[in-house]
C-alpha cells in the first residue's frame, strides 16, 4: 500500500484575476484595493514549498478541467451558461459575478480547472495511486452555491469533488471538514439535505457571511444532523480548535464512519490574516492536519484529500500551508518560522462556544462525557 502524498498545482491557477474586489465582513464593507485573492497567494506558497524541499517529497498528480457533466452534479445548467457568458464579456477591470465575487475573461476557465484538479485528487486517492493528497488550487469554492458565485468562489470545488466520488465510486459516506475562517455556506447549501455527506465547518463567529453558520444550523429533512457548525469567537487559537476537534468533530466522525474525508483547507484563520481575527500558526495547522490524517487512517483506509480555500496574508499563508502539508504528509521540513507566536491558554468564552456546538449535536450523535452538562 502506498504511503505517498499527492500534490496538484498548475501555474494556470495564477491567471484568474478578479479585478478590484470588496469584502463585506465583520467590520463592514472594505475596498480590497489590490485584490485580496491575488495570484501571489499561490505563487508564494508554491515557492516556499519548493525552497524548503517539501515539493520534492510529494508525488505530482495530473488533472483535466471539469467537464459540464461533472459540474452539473452541483451547479445548475443556467448558472454554468451565465457564468461562462459573463466572464466572456468581461474586460480588464472585471465584472460582478455575485456578492464579493468579481471575475475576468479567464475566470470561468480557471475555476473549471480548479474543480477538475479537486476531482483528480480524489481519483488518485480512491484508486490507490497515493494515500492522501493536497490540491493547491485557485479560485476557492466553498462560498459558491448551486446557482450563485460568492466570496471569491465560482464553482464549489469540494462539493464537485464529493459528488464525483459518489457518482464514480459509489461512496455512501463522505465527510467534508471546512476550517477556513469563513463559514462554508455554499457547501452547506449543497449538502444540507443529504445524509450521505457530513459537513462540518469550524469558523470565526459572525465574520463572513454575516448570517448563518450558527451551531443550530444542522441540516434539513433527511440531512438533519449531518451539518455540524462550530462557530468560534474572534481571537481563538490552537487551544480552541483542538478542543473543538476533541469534543465535537472527532467524536462525530467516529460515529459517521466516513469512507473519504475531504478538507476545505483555508488557512485564513492564521494570526496575520487581514480577513480574519484568529490566532493559528504553523504548529497549530500541522497538528490539525495530522489529527484528521490520523482519523482517516483509523476510519477510511487513510483516504483524505485537502483542497486550498482562503488565506490572504501573503507573508503567512505560505507558512501556514506548509504546516498543513507537514501534518498531512507526516514529514516536517527544516524551516524556522520568523512569524511564530506562542498560543495562549483556552479562554472560558472559547470553551463555552465549543460546549454549545457539542450540545447542539448531542441529539443526533449521542455525544457523551463529563463536559456535556
Amino acid at each position: 500500500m502506498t504511503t505517498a502524498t499527492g500534490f496538484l498545482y498548475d501555474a494556470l491557477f495564477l491567471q484568474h484575476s478578479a479585478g478590484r474586489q470588496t469584502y463585506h465582513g465583520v467590520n463592514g464593507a472594505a475596498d480590497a484595493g489590490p485584490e485580496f485573492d491575488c495570484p501571489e497567494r499561490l505563487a508564494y506558497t508554491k515557492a516556499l514549498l519548493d525552497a524548503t524541499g517539501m515539493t520534492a517529497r510529494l508525488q505530482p498528480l495530473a488533472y483535466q478541467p471539469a467537464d459540464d457533466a461533472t459540474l452539473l452534479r452541483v451547479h445548475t445548467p443556467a448558472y454554468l451558461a451565465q457564468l461562462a457568458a459573463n466572464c466572456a464579456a468581461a474586460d480588464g477591470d472585471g465584472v460582478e459575478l455575485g456578492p464579493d465575487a468579481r471575475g475576468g475573461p479567464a475566470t470561468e476557465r480557471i475555476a473549471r480547472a480548479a474543480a477538475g484538479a479537486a476531482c483528480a485528487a480524489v481519483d488518485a486517492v480512491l484508486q490507490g495511486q497515493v494515500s492522501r493528497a493536497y490540491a493547491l488550487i485557485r479560485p476557492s469554492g466553498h462560498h459558491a452555491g448551486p446557482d450563485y458565485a460568492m466570496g471569491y468562489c465560482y464553482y464549489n470545488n469540494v462539493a464537485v469533488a464529493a459528488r464525483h466520488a459518489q457518482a464514480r465510486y459509489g461512496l455512501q459516506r463522505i465527510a467534508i471538514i471546512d476550517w477556513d475562517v469563513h463559514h462554508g455556506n455554499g457547501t452547506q447549501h449543497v449538502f444540507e439535505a443529504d445524509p450521505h455527506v457530513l459537513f462540518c465547518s469550524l469558523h470565526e463567529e459572525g465574520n463572513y457571511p454575516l448570517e448563518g453558520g450558527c451551531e443550530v444550523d444542522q441540516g434539513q429533512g433527511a440531512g438533519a444532523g449531518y451539518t455540524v457548525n462550530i462557530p468560534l469567537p474572534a481571537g481563538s487559537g490552537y487551544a480552541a480548535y483542538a478542543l473543538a476537534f476533541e469534543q465535537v468533530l472527532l467524536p462525530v466522525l467516529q460515529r459517521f464512519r466516513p469512507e473519504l474525508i475531504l478538507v476545505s483547507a483555508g488557512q485564513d484563520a492564521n494570526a496575520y490574516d487581514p480577513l480574519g481575527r484568529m490566532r493559528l500558526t504553523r504548529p497549530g495547522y500541522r497538528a490539525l492536519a495530522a489529527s484528521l490524517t490520523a482519523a482517516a487512517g483509523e476510519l477510511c483506509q487513510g483516504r483524505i484529500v485537502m483542497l486550498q480555500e482562503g488565506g490572504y496574508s501573503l507573508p503567512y499563508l505560505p507558512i501556514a500551508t506548509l504546516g498543513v502539508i507537514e501534518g498531512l504528509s507526516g514529514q516536517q521540513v527544516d524551516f524556522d518560522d520568523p512569524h511564530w507566536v506562542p498560543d495562549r491558554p483556552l479562554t472560558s468564552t472559547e470553551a463555552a462556544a465549543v460546549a454549545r456546538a457539542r450540545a447542539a449535536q448531542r441529539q443526533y450523535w449521542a455525544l457523551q462525557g463529563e463536559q456535556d452538562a
Side-chain angles (χ1 to χ4, degrees):
M1 179 179 175
T2 180
T3 59
T5 301
F7 182 66
L8 274 148
Y9 171 79
D10 191 339
L12 176 69
F13 301 138
L14 307 180
Q15 295 181 23
H16 158 60
S17 176
R20 196 172 187 90
Q21 292 272 31
T22 56
Y23 171 74
H24 294 82
V26 65
N27 295 319
D31 186 344
E35 57 178 310
F36 283 126
D37 183 18
C38 60
E40 288 81 7
R41 295 174 54 244
L42 257 62
Y44 290 3
T45 300
K46 177 59 162 54
L48 181 63
L49 298 177
D50 293 346
T52 58
M54 178 57 81
T55 305
R57 303 185 185 194
L58 308 175
Q59 182 170 323
L61 301 174
Y63 79 97
Q64 294 292 326
D67 59 19
D68 282 358
T70 301
L71 295 172
L72 287 169
R73 297 187 183 115
V74 170
H75 299 285
T76 66
Y79 175 66
L80 261 64
Q82 179 187 36
L83 183 64
N86 288 345
C87 289
D91 58 23
D93 293 327
V95 63
E96 196 73 27
L97 300 170
D100 301 302
R102 294 180 64 82
T107 294
E108 193 277 337
R109 177 169 60 91
I110 309 305
R112 186 178 287 261
C119 293
V122 167
D123 288 336
V125 168
L126 293 183
Q127 293 173 11
Q129 183 180 350
V130 295
S131 61
R132 49 198 173 263
Y134 194 94
L136 185 62
I137 55 179
R138 177 178 175 270
S140 303
H142 73 148
H143 294 309
D147 58 356
Y148 58 86
M150 183 178 182
Y152 312 161
C153 300
Y154 312 92
Y155 293 135
N156 193 310
N157 302 319
V158 74
V160 170
R163 290 296 191 214
H164 174 74
Q166 289 176 320
R168 183 166 181 179
Y169 301 97
L171 298 193
Q172 294 298 304
R173 296 182 310 281
I174 298 171
I176 299 175
I177 313 303
D178 187 332
W179 67 43
D180 192 284
V181 79
H182 307 118
H183 178 236
N185 62 297
T187 310
Q188 176 175 306
H189 186 179
V190 172
F191 296 112
E192 61 189 352
D194 188 345
H196 301 288
V197 177
L198 173 72
F199 172 66
C200 179
S201 179
L202 300 93
H203 51 273
E204 180 187 335
E205 183 178 18
N207 187 321
Y208 184 92
L210 296 177
E211 298 180 356
C214 299
E215 63 273 1
V216 294
D217 295 339
Q218 298 172 291
Q220 299 180 2
Y226 294 92
T227 293
V228 178
N229 280 301
I230 310 176
L232 296 172
S236 295
Y238 174 68
Y241 280 83
L243 185 67
F245 267 48
E246 174 192 341
Q247 292 293 313
V248 186
L249 175 59
L250 294 177
V252 170
L253 279 179
Q254 287 277 354
R255 287 155 178 76
F256 182 65
R257 310 296 296 184
E259 299 166 282
L260 170 69
I261 295 175
L262 302 176
V263 181
S264 281
Q267 278 71 262
D268 40 11
N270 75 74
Y272 300 95
D273 202 279
L275 299 188
R277 300 174 295 173
M278 306 302 250
R279 292 174 51 87
L280 286 175
T281 56
R282 176 190 174 199
Y285 278 113
R286 184 193 302 128
L288 295 181
S291 178
L292 285 182
T293 302
E298 177 185 351
L299 299 172
C300 51
Q301 302 175 282
R303 300 190 296 195
I304 182 170
V305 172
M306 297 190 174
L307 308 177
Q308 185 72 46
E309 295 280 2
Y312 305 96
S313 169
L314 293 181
Y316 208 76
L317 172 62
I319 298 171
T321 302
L322 173 64
V324 171
I325 296 177
E326 287 176 320
L328 175 67
S329 67
Q331 302 185 71
Q332 191 166 335
V333 298
D334 183 12
F335 175 75
D336 184 16
D337 178 357
H339 303 291
W340 177 79
V341 292
D343 196 30
R344 58 165 172 69
L346 184 77
T347 69
S348 59
T349 302
E350 293 162 0
V354 174
R356 286 193 298 272
R358 182 178 174 88
Q361 295 303 322
R362 194 181 304 141
Q363 64 174 311
Y364 295 107
W365 299 103
L367 302 182
Q368 299 176 353
E370 61 182 8
Q371 294 195 25
D372 284 356

